Amino acid sequence: CISNNAFFVCRYELKSGDIILADEKHKPIYDELVENFKVDFIAGGATQNAIRVAQWMLLSEKATAFIGCVGKDKYSEELQRCCEQDGVETYYLETEEAPTGTCAVLVYEKERTLIANLGAANLYKHAHTQSAEMQQVIAKAQVYYCAGFPLSTPEGKETMLSMCKHAAEHNKPFCLNLSAPFLIQFFWEKLQEVLFHADYLFGNESEAAEFSKKQGWECDLPEVALRIAAMAKTSGSRCRTVIITQGAEKTVVARNGEVTLYPVLKLEKEHIVDTNGAGDAFVGGFLARMTQGFPIEECVRAGHYAARIIIQQSGVSLPPSPDIA
């Protein structure tokens, strides 16, 4: 994360505020930033961010674990260090086929430009999940969470479905995030297969609107949440809970045929540093309370709290400890 870099925005033909995937002309930017500036390294990735926040909220070292794919390079070492510092156990598959996924964040006049190189994140192999070590890790877990982004990778759906089926067979909750409208647009069939197993579904208002459009529904957001919650699912031991966040507006929760709206505490604009990762932070706070057996209203409150803390930081960087009653 680098501040005040109008130079790089111009040099790499970027638009201030862009969120883009790096192509060949952008790839030198990562080493150039590290060589010429004091760079803040922050462990990232949508699922990993949510897990880091959950770990922070749980106040119990190594209460969480993350599985993913990294390259054999200095960035994977930095990622490992950051997660260990946060108390998250990591089980990375290492590949020599691509570098560790990175995202350069340039800040100019409080406007952030993100250039993501997914790299090794696209190359996770289902066989790694099936290894004896990973099967032990999976068996120990009590709750499973995954963002929707692996659906866009070659073996992502297969890996997610194996987690889903394990969760259903052992009566453990599987949680899914819609993550981005493009996943609904371009990976709809894969999404439907995984959604069939989801006990908890997270998303924001843009993703919910895209879901509604795909289904041909013409209704308001609470009704969209209700209809998704009522869709068929594999496990009948618990209802599906749908949670839709709307930034500073009320969070919508649908379950058991009912909708509840939860207000978000107002935060003055001057205190907001970076809204990237707010949704992941909400999920992390929610999951932390859920694993502790708290009722849904407390899970939402914890999600709001975590998101409020994160948007006052640069990136998903965590204060020493949470301060929530």
Side-chain angles (χ1 to χ4, degrees):
C1 180
I2 297 291
S3 298
N4 300 321
N5 272 281
F7 169 74
F8 283 98
V9 172
C10 295
R11 176 186 176 93
Y12 287 96
E13 300 176 9
L14 304 166
K15 292 180 182 178
S16 189
D18 268 355
I19 302 175
I20 64 168
L21 292 177
D23 59 28
E24 287 303 316
K25 72 180 179 185
H26 299 119
K27 289 183 179 178
I29 195 171
Y30 304 99
D31 286 337
E32 191 171 353
L33 290 171
V34 173
E35 289 166 5
N36 293 287
F37 295 89
K38 183 181 181 299
V39 174
D40 294 326
F41 286 100
I42 302 169
T47 302
Q48 192 162 232
N49 279 339
I51 298 305
R52 290 175 54 238
V53 172
Q55 175 64 52
W56 176 69
M57 290 282 289
L58 285 166
L59 294 172
S60 177
E61 191 170 348
K62 296 184 178 179
T64 60
F66 175 80
I67 299 172
C69 187
V70 297
K72 292 185 177 180
D73 52 33
K74 62 186 177 183
Y75 293 121
S76 68
E77 294 172 3
E78 190 66 38
L79 189 60
Q80 183 83 43
R81 184 192 66 79
C82 290
C83 284
E84 285 180 356
Q85 184 175 302
D86 292 335
V88 177
E89 287 196 291
T90 55
Y91 297 90
Y92 295 128
L93 169 65
E94 290 189 337
T95 180
E96 295 181 345
E97 296 178 41
T100 300
T102 50
C103 183
V105 183
L106 309 176
V107 185
Y108 178 63
E109 294 182 346
K110 290 194 173 183
E111 190 74 54
R112 308 181 86 77
T113 303
L114 281 67
I115 310 99
N117 178 21
L118 299 178
N122 274 336
L123 301 178
Y124 185 80
K125 306 297 183 186
H126 180 54
H128 181 252
T129 310
Q130 299 301 103
S131 68
E133 181 186 16
M134 291 303 98
Q135 286 298 301
Q136 288 183 355
V137 173
I138 292 166
K140 283 171 57 180
Q142 296 303 307
V143 176
Y144 305 89
Y145 170 73
C146 191
F149 293 114
L151 294 172
S152 67
T153 69
E155 299 188 29
K157 186 193 77 169
E158 186 180 9
T159 301
M160 293 169 77
L161 286 175
S162 72
M163 296 278 193
C164 291
K165 290 170 183 175
H166 173 89
E169 288 169 3
H170 295 84
N171 196 28
K172 300 174 183 179
F174 177 79
C175 310
L176 175 67
N177 202 313
L178 292 174
S179 295
F182 82 86
L183 293 170
I184 299 164
Q185 294 166 357
F186 303 114
F187 300 94
W188 177 246
E189 289 75 18
K190 290 183 178 182
L191 175 60
Q192 285 183 300
E193 285 187 63
V194 178
L195 177 59
F196 181 66
H197 301 274
D199 297 298
Y200 290 82
L201 180 70
F202 297 90
N204 62 29
E205 71 275 30
S206 299
E207 294 148 11
E210 191 62 41
F211 196 106
S212 177
K213 179 181 176 182
K214 194 75 174 181
Q215 291 286 73
W217 298 338
E218 294 183 4
C219 53
D220 60 14
L221 187 59
E223 180 63 22
V224 171
L226 269 176
R227 292 188 184 188
I228 299 174
M231 291 175 73
K233 66 188 295 286
T234 184
S235 173
S237 63
R238 60 175 63 84
C239 69
R240 178 181 292 119
T241 300
V242 175
I243 306 103
I244 306 296
T245 58
Q246 305 184 83
E249 302 303 315
K250 293 177 181 178
T251 295
V252 178
V253 177
R255 64 198 315 252
N256 285 325
E258 297 181 355
V259 174
T260 307
L261 304 181
Y262 294 91
V264 178
L265 288 176
K266 182 178 175 59
L267 181 66
E268 299 301 329
K269 286 185 177 180
E270 58 266 26
H271 297 302
I272 299 174
V273 175
D274 181 4
T275 57
N276 289 305
D280 299 329
F282 174 89
V283 172
F286 186 102
L287 292 178
R289 283 295 195 260
M290 187 184 85
T291 61
Q292 295 172 319
F294 282 94
I296 193 77
E297 58 269 21
E298 175 58 21
C299 297
V300 173
R301 187 177 78 92
H304 286 166
Y305 168 80
R308 182 184 179 90
I309 293 296
I310 290 304
I311 65 175
Q312 296 181 74
Q313 319 294 320
S314 179
V316 183
S317 50
L318 301 164
S321 61
D323 180 21
I324 179 172

